[in-house]
Amino acid sequence: MSVARAAIFHGHDHPLAVEEVPIPSLKEGECLVEIACCSLCRSDLHTVCGNRVEPTPTILGHEIVGRIVACEGPLPTGLTIGDRVTWGIAASCGVCFFCRQGLRQKCVSLFKYGHMELTAEHPLSGGLASHIVLRAGTPIYKVPTHLSDEIASLANCSTSTAAAVIRIAEAQSGDTVVVFGAGVLGLAAISMLHELGCQVLVFDPFTSARERAITFGATAVFHDLDALRAAVSDQTENRGADVALELSGVRSAAEATVNLLRIGGTAVWAGTASPVGEVPIDPEQVVRRLLTLRGMHNYAPEDLNTALEFLDRNHDVYPFAELFGKSFPLEKVNEAFRSANDSGGRRITVRP
Ligand SMILES: [Zn+2]
Ligand SMILES: [Zn+2]
């Protein structure tokens, strides 16, 4: 039996330990992927510093690009051994109630890469390793030739989530869209909306984030809510925004999305994946102004395809390459995390 190397997370009070892990024999429908690159997501940083709890031991990392080296049974359509691929953040069963409703990201037996407790059956389930085993029911996509591993690694987290948010917001060319938060998720959404032909008004308290938002296609940027509200009014003959997106994880931003909408407008909240407290919304506003309020968590498999096609068209149009800082070998994974906490928001990558 061959052996992989993996950085095992045993809890936030231990450094990650690079250990040898036996590669299990593959079951029907499983693929073994040799990892080329894994970028550290904000959620990984939160886990390592103890702000977020994952089952342990585990292998963190879910923004991954690699090559298929083996598969048990027929490969998914269109793929061959040796293809450079990325895949959905989770495998789903395809037959449970939620899968049949088209909500595969909420499958009752969801298997989420980079978030699972290691077991003898599934010892390789995260990106901070030399190899990963992809389970049956994982949406796997070939990475377009011209995309770097780094930029492609963004696809299966922030870019796909942005694609999902814009899909359910039903944003159209010419719409005025407000985006709260210009982190990596916000920048993905801003550039997609810009490509779509929307006017994108962006709110972020940080100067560097606002400056970056402009280079990703923001029409205008704000750090003052009153100035934002005035600009939305100006832009829309006082109607209000067609769409407002909460991508910052800040409670007051969620409240503001609803207040900035026009009659019939849609707000999507996707920034908050842990409790932040309540938001006061008067139901009368939702009723009389015919508002739609939606949430998005994870994303559907087709959103990953949208994300990869978008990055293939636009990796040079918007400065995605500038979102990346240093790259570290797996043996220096603890140094990679220290660097990520100190990188001014740039993504740090680990290349085994
Ligand atoms: Zn992520
Ligand atoms: Zn299911």
Side-chain angles (χ1 to χ4, degrees), residues 65-68 76-87 139-145 147 152 155 304-305 308-309 312:
V65 170
R67 281 185 194 281
I68 302 178
T77 318
L79 295 173
T80 52
I81 299 292
D83 278 348
R84 191 169 63 125
V85 293
T86 189
W87 51 91
I140 307 175
Y141 293 94
K142 210 164 153 170
V143 173
T145 323
L147 278 188
L304 175 53
N305 194 39
L308 283 168
E309 288 177 354
D312 193 27

mmCIF file of all heavy atoms in Angstrom, residues 65-68 76-87 139-145 147 152 155 304-305 308-309 312:
data_model
loop_
_atom_site.group_PDB
_atom_site.id
_atom_site.type_symbol
_atom_site.label_atom_id
_atom_site.label_comp_id
_atom_site.label_asym_id
_atom_site.label_seq_id
_atom_site.Cartn_x
_atom_site.Cartn_y
_atom_site.Cartn_z
ATOM 1 N N VAL A 65 -6.616 22.171 -5.938
ATOM 2 C CA VAL A 65 -6.455 21.772 -7.338
ATOM 3 C C VAL A 65 -5.470 20.612 -7.355
ATOM 4 O O VAL A 65 -4.485 20.614 -6.604
ATOM 5 C CB VAL A 65 -5.911 22.945 -8.190
ATOM 6 C CG1 VAL A 65 -5.497 22.482 -9.585
ATOM 7 C CG2 VAL A 65 -6.978 24.037 -8.306
ATOM 8 N N GLY A 66 -5.751 19.611 -8.181
ATOM 9 C CA GLY A 66 -4.832 18.478 -8.273
ATOM 10 C C GLY A 66 -5.058 17.686 -9.548
ATOM 11 O O GLY A 66 -5.841 18.100 -10.406
ATOM 12 N N ARG A 67 -4.321 16.570 -9.669
ATOM 13 C CA ARG A 67 -4.460 15.712 -10.848
ATOM 14 C C ARG A 67 -5.015 14.355 -10.454
ATOM 15 O O ARG A 67 -4.567 13.773 -9.466
ATOM 16 C CB ARG A 67 -3.093 15.500 -11.520
ATOM 17 C CG ARG A 67 -2.696 16.671 -12.352
ATOM 18 C CD ARG A 67 -1.412 16.457 -13.132
ATOM 19 N NE ARG A 67 -0.958 17.744 -13.631
ATOM 20 C CZ ARG A 67 -1.459 18.356 -14.712
ATOM 21 N NH1 ARG A 67 -2.387 17.761 -15.433
ATOM 22 N NH2 ARG A 67 -1.015 19.545 -15.084
ATOM 23 N N ILE A 68 -5.927 13.850 -11.254
ATOM 24 C CA ILE A 68 -6.480 12.512 -11.003
ATOM 25 C C ILE A 68 -5.392 11.489 -11.301
ATOM 26 O O ILE A 68 -4.816 11.484 -12.390
ATOM 27 C CB ILE A 68 -7.690 12.230 -11.913
ATOM 28 C CG1 ILE A 68 -8.776 13.287 -11.711
ATOM 29 C CG2 ILE A 68 -8.249 10.831 -11.643
ATOM 30 C CD1 ILE A 68 -9.979 13.099 -12.623
ATOM 31 N N PRO A 76 -15.873 9.985 -14.046
ATOM 32 C CA PRO A 76 -16.984 10.860 -14.434
ATOM 33 C C PRO A 76 -16.814 11.311 -15.894
ATOM 34 O O PRO A 76 -15.690 11.461 -16.373
ATOM 35 C CB PRO A 76 -16.861 12.037 -13.471
ATOM 36 C CG PRO A 76 -16.099 11.506 -12.294
ATOM 37 C CD PRO A 76 -15.185 10.460 -12.836
ATOM 38 N N THR A 77 -17.929 11.539 -16.575
ATOM 39 C CA THR A 77 -17.930 11.882 -18.004
ATOM 40 C C THR A 77 -16.969 13.024 -18.314
ATOM 41 O O THR A 77 -16.962 14.035 -17.622
ATOM 42 C CB THR A 77 -19.362 12.308 -18.431
ATOM 43 O OG1 THR A 77 -20.269 11.402 -17.822
ATOM 44 C CG2 THR A 77 -19.530 12.288 -19.936
ATOM 45 N N GLY A 78 -16.185 12.836 -19.361
ATOM 46 C CA GLY A 78 -15.319 13.918 -19.828
ATOM 47 C C GLY A 78 -13.970 13.976 -19.140
ATOM 48 O O GLY A 78 -13.136 14.810 -19.482
ATOM 49 N N LEU A 79 -13.722 13.099 -18.153
ATOM 50 C CA LEU A 79 -12.457 13.157 -17.417
ATOM 51 C C LEU A 79 -11.602 11.934 -17.713
ATOM 52 O O LEU A 79 -12.127 10.839 -17.959
ATOM 53 C CB LEU A 79 -12.733 13.220 -15.909
ATOM 54 C CG LEU A 79 -13.441 14.478 -15.411
ATOM 55 C CD1 LEU A 79 -13.793 14.336 -13.936
ATOM 56 C CD2 LEU A 79 -12.570 15.716 -15.625
ATOM 57 N N THR A 80 -10.275 12.134 -17.694
ATOM 58 C CA THR A 80 -9.357 10.993 -17.822
ATOM 59 C C THR A 80 -8.269 11.108 -16.754
ATOM 60 O O THR A 80 -8.069 12.179 -16.153
ATOM 61 C CB THR A 80 -8.660 10.964 -19.209
ATOM 62 O OG1 THR A 80 -8.086 12.244 -19.441
ATOM 63 C CG2 THR A 80 -9.625 10.637 -20.328
ATOM 64 N N ILE A 81 -7.579 10.000 -16.550
ATOM 65 C CA ILE A 81 -6.462 9.984 -15.606
ATOM 66 C C ILE A 81 -5.434 11.027 -16.073
ATOM 67 O O ILE A 81 -5.126 11.135 -17.256
ATOM 68 C CB ILE A 81 -5.801 8.580 -15.575
ATOM 69 C CG1 ILE A 81 -6.803 7.514 -15.112
ATOM 70 C CG2 ILE A 81 -4.546 8.572 -14.693
ATOM 71 C CD1 ILE A 81 -7.245 7.603 -13.676
ATOM 72 N N GLY A 82 -4.909 11.811 -15.143
ATOM 73 C CA GLY A 82 -3.927 12.840 -15.486
ATOM 74 C C GLY A 82 -4.536 14.225 -15.621
ATOM 75 O O GLY A 82 -3.808 15.222 -15.639
ATOM 76 N N ASP A 83 -5.879 14.316 -15.693
ATOM 77 C CA ASP A 83 -6.515 15.637 -15.822
ATOM 78 C C ASP A 83 -6.293 16.468 -14.560
ATOM 79 O O ASP A 83 -6.372 15.957 -13.435
ATOM 80 C CB ASP A 83 -8.027 15.484 -16.034
ATOM 81 C CG ASP A 83 -8.386 15.193 -17.486
ATOM 82 O OD1 ASP A 83 -7.496 15.337 -18.350
ATOM 83 O OD2 ASP A 83 -9.545 14.825 -17.733
ATOM 84 N N ARG A 84 -6.066 17.776 -14.790
ATOM 85 C CA ARG A 84 -5.995 18.715 -13.672
ATOM 86 C C ARG A 84 -7.431 19.120 -13.334
ATOM 87 O O ARG A 84 -8.180 19.557 -14.217
ATOM 88 C CB ARG A 84 -5.169 19.930 -14.080
ATOM 89 C CG ARG A 84 -4.809 20.843 -12.923
ATOM 90 C CD ARG A 84 -3.777 21.861 -13.369
ATOM 91 N NE ARG A 84 -4.299 22.733 -14.407
ATOM 92 C CZ ARG A 84 -4.310 24.063 -14.331
ATOM 93 N NH1 ARG A 84 -3.817 24.673 -13.281
ATOM 94 N NH2 ARG A 84 -4.796 24.786 -15.311
ATOM 95 N N VAL A 85 -7.808 18.951 -12.083
ATOM 96 C CA VAL A 85 -9.225 19.137 -11.720
ATOM 97 C C VAL A 85 -9.372 19.926 -10.422
ATOM 98 O O VAL A 85 -8.439 20.048 -9.629
ATOM 99 C CB VAL A 85 -9.940 17.767 -11.530
ATOM 100 C CG1 VAL A 85 -10.050 17.015 -12.853
ATOM 101 C CG2 VAL A 85 -9.236 16.905 -10.477
ATOM 102 N N THR A 86 -10.588 20.448 -10.243
ATOM 103 C CA THR A 86 -11.028 20.900 -8.934
ATOM 104 C C THR A 86 -12.430 20.339 -8.757
ATOM 105 O O THR A 86 -12.992 19.762 -9.689
ATOM 106 C CB THR A 86 -10.946 22.418 -8.776
ATOM 107 O OG1 THR A 86 -11.195 22.747 -7.393
ATOM 108 C CG2 THR A 86 -11.941 23.151 -9.661
ATOM 109 N N TRP A 87 -13.001 20.465 -7.581
ATOM 110 C CA TRP A 87 -14.264 19.768 -7.324
ATOM 111 C C TRP A 87 -15.069 20.520 -6.293
ATOM 112 O O TRP A 87 -14.559 21.407 -5.600
ATOM 113 C CB TRP A 87 -13.994 18.324 -6.851
ATOM 114 C CG TRP A 87 -13.015 18.263 -5.720
ATOM 115 C CD1 TRP A 87 -13.308 18.292 -4.402
ATOM 116 C CD2 TRP A 87 -11.578 18.204 -5.829
ATOM 117 N NE1 TRP A 87 -12.145 18.256 -3.674
ATOM 118 C CE2 TRP A 87 -11.078 18.194 -4.526
ATOM 119 C CE3 TRP A 87 -10.686 18.142 -6.911
ATOM 120 C CZ2 TRP A 87 -9.706 18.147 -4.253
ATOM 121 C CZ3 TRP A 87 -9.333 18.098 -6.652
ATOM 122 C CH2 TRP A 87 -8.850 18.089 -5.336
ATOM 123 N N PRO A 139 -18.987 16.529 -7.439
ATOM 124 C CA PRO A 139 -18.926 17.138 -8.773
ATOM 125 C C PRO A 139 -17.482 17.542 -9.092
ATOM 126 O O PRO A 139 -16.918 18.402 -8.418
ATOM 127 C CB PRO A 139 -19.837 18.361 -8.647
ATOM 128 C CG PRO A 139 -19.926 18.656 -7.190
ATOM 129 C CD PRO A 139 -19.624 17.396 -6.441
ATOM 130 N N ILE A 140 -16.883 16.896 -10.093
ATOM 131 C CA ILE A 140 -15.467 17.133 -10.445
ATOM 132 C C ILE A 140 -15.416 17.840 -11.797
ATOM 133 O O ILE A 140 -16.102 17.441 -12.736
ATOM 134 C CB ILE A 140 -14.687 15.801 -10.541
ATOM 135 C CG1 ILE A 140 -14.873 14.977 -9.258
ATOM 136 C CG2 ILE A 140 -13.199 16.047 -10.794
ATOM 137 C CD1 ILE A 140 -14.233 13.593 -9.308
ATOM 138 N N TYR A 141 -14.607 18.890 -11.905
ATOM 139 C CA TYR A 141 -14.495 19.647 -13.153
ATOM 140 C C TYR A 141 -13.029 19.785 -13.541
ATOM 141 O O TYR A 141 -12.157 19.992 -12.693
ATOM 142 C CB TYR A 141 -15.093 21.056 -13.001
ATOM 143 C CG TYR A 141 -16.581 21.044 -12.809
ATOM 144 C CD1 TYR A 141 -17.132 21.065 -11.533
ATOM 145 C CD2 TYR A 141 -17.445 20.990 -13.909
ATOM 146 C CE1 TYR A 141 -18.513 21.045 -11.347
ATOM 147 C CE2 TYR A 141 -18.822 20.974 -13.731
ATOM 148 C CZ TYR A 141 -19.348 20.994 -12.455
ATOM 149 O OH TYR A 141 -20.705 20.970 -12.280
ATOM 150 N N LYS A 142 -12.794 19.698 -14.854
ATOM 151 C CA LYS A 142 -11.466 19.915 -15.401
ATOM 152 C C LYS A 142 -11.131 21.402 -15.280
ATOM 153 O O LYS A 142 -11.995 22.249 -15.529
ATOM 154 C CB LYS A 142 -11.501 19.507 -16.880
ATOM 155 C CG LYS A 142 -10.227 19.004 -17.421
ATOM 156 C CD LYS A 142 -10.512 18.269 -18.738
ATOM 157 C CE LYS A 142 -9.285 18.332 -19.603
ATOM 158 N NZ LYS A 142 -9.416 17.439 -20.763
ATOM 159 N N VAL A 143 -9.897 21.708 -14.905
ATOM 160 C CA VAL A 143 -9.480 23.114 -14.797
ATOM 161 C C VAL A 143 -9.024 23.593 -16.179
ATOM 162 O O VAL A 143 -8.183 22.938 -16.808
ATOM 163 C CB VAL A 143 -8.330 23.266 -13.780
ATOM 164 C CG1 VAL A 143 -7.781 24.688 -13.784
ATOM 165 C CG2 VAL A 143 -8.794 22.886 -12.377
ATOM 166 N N PRO A 144 -9.571 24.717 -16.676
ATOM 167 C CA PRO A 144 -9.140 25.228 -17.983
ATOM 168 C C PRO A 144 -7.616 25.412 -18.022
ATOM 169 O O PRO A 144 -7.005 25.866 -17.037
ATOM 170 C CB PRO A 144 -9.862 26.575 -18.098
ATOM 171 C CG PRO A 144 -11.044 26.453 -17.185
ATOM 172 C CD PRO A 144 -10.605 25.562 -16.065
ATOM 173 N N THR A 145 -7.006 25.093 -19.164
ATOM 174 C CA THR A 145 -5.546 25.082 -19.318
ATOM 175 C C THR A 145 -4.885 26.386 -18.893
ATOM 176 O O THR A 145 -3.803 26.371 -18.302
ATOM 177 C CB THR A 145 -5.191 24.839 -20.803
ATOM 178 O OG1 THR A 145 -6.141 23.903 -21.316
ATOM 179 C CG2 THR A 145 -3.797 24.305 -20.966
ATOM 180 N N LEU A 147 -5.675 28.618 -16.708
ATOM 181 C CA LEU A 147 -5.789 29.082 -15.323
ATOM 182 C C LEU A 147 -4.645 28.538 -14.487
ATOM 183 O O LEU A 147 -4.342 27.346 -14.533
ATOM 184 C CB LEU A 147 -7.096 28.579 -14.704
ATOM 185 C CG LEU A 147 -8.372 29.351 -14.983
ATOM 186 C CD1 LEU A 147 -9.492 28.791 -14.103
ATOM 187 C CD2 LEU A 147 -8.191 30.829 -14.710
ATOM 188 N N ALA A 152 -7.286 28.954 -9.937
ATOM 189 C CA ALA A 152 -8.301 27.898 -10.013
ATOM 190 C C ALA A 152 -8.731 27.440 -8.621
ATOM 191 O O ALA A 152 -9.875 27.040 -8.419
ATOM 192 C CB ALA A 152 -7.763 26.717 -10.814
ATOM 193 N N ALA A 155 -11.839 28.859 -7.182
ATOM 194 C CA ALA A 155 -13.126 28.559 -7.809
ATOM 195 C C ALA A 155 -14.060 27.820 -6.864
ATOM 196 O O ALA A 155 -15.227 28.172 -6.746
ATOM 197 C CB ALA A 155 -12.913 27.746 -9.084
ATOM 198 N N LEU A 304 -20.078 25.786 -9.498
ATOM 199 C CA LEU A 304 -18.625 25.609 -9.671
ATOM 200 C C LEU A 304 -18.255 25.683 -11.152
ATOM 201 O O LEU A 304 -17.238 26.266 -11.531
ATOM 202 C CB LEU A 304 -18.170 24.285 -9.051
ATOM 203 C CG LEU A 304 -16.711 23.891 -9.249
ATOM 204 C CD1 LEU A 304 -15.740 24.993 -8.826
ATOM 205 C CD2 LEU A 304 -16.397 22.606 -8.475
ATOM 206 N N ASN A 305 -19.110 25.117 -11.991
ATOM 207 C CA ASN A 305 -18.860 25.207 -13.431
ATOM 208 C C ASN A 305 -18.928 26.668 -13.898
ATOM 209 O O ASN A 305 -18.057 27.145 -14.639
ATOM 210 C CB ASN A 305 -19.898 24.351 -14.168
ATOM 211 C CG ASN A 305 -19.514 24.121 -15.602
ATOM 212 O OD1 ASN A 305 -18.341 23.917 -15.906
ATOM 213 N ND2 ASN A 305 -20.481 24.182 -16.491
ATOM 214 N N LEU A 308 -15.680 28.412 -12.799
ATOM 215 C CA LEU A 308 -14.492 28.084 -13.616
ATOM 216 C C LEU A 308 -14.560 28.770 -14.975
ATOM 217 O O LEU A 308 -13.555 29.284 -15.470
ATOM 218 C CB LEU A 308 -14.376 26.568 -13.788
ATOM 219 C CG LEU A 308 -13.840 25.824 -12.568
ATOM 220 C CD1 LEU A 308 -14.048 24.317 -12.721
ATOM 221 C CD2 LEU A 308 -12.356 26.126 -12.335
ATOM 222 N N GLU A 309 -15.753 28.787 -15.589
ATOM 223 C CA GLU A 309 -15.889 29.458 -16.892
ATOM 224 C C GLU A 309 -15.644 30.957 -16.742
ATOM 225 O O GLU A 309 -14.997 31.579 -17.589
ATOM 226 C CB GLU A 309 -17.278 29.189 -17.481
ATOM 227 C CG GLU A 309 -17.425 27.754 -17.957
ATOM 228 C CD GLU A 309 -18.819 27.422 -18.497
ATOM 229 O OE1 GLU A 309 -19.727 28.274 -18.396
ATOM 230 O OE2 GLU A 309 -18.985 26.300 -18.995
ATOM 231 N N ASP A 312 -11.914 31.500 -16.305
ATOM 232 C CA ASP A 312 -11.231 31.264 -17.573
ATOM 233 C C ASP A 312 -11.323 32.499 -18.480
ATOM 234 O O ASP A 312 -10.341 32.906 -19.102
ATOM 235 C CB ASP A 312 -11.851 30.031 -18.262
ATOM 236 C CG ASP A 312 -11.000 29.536 -19.419
ATOM 237 O OD1 ASP A 312 -9.769 29.761 -19.393
ATOM 238 O OD2 ASP A 312 -11.547 28.928 -20.352
#
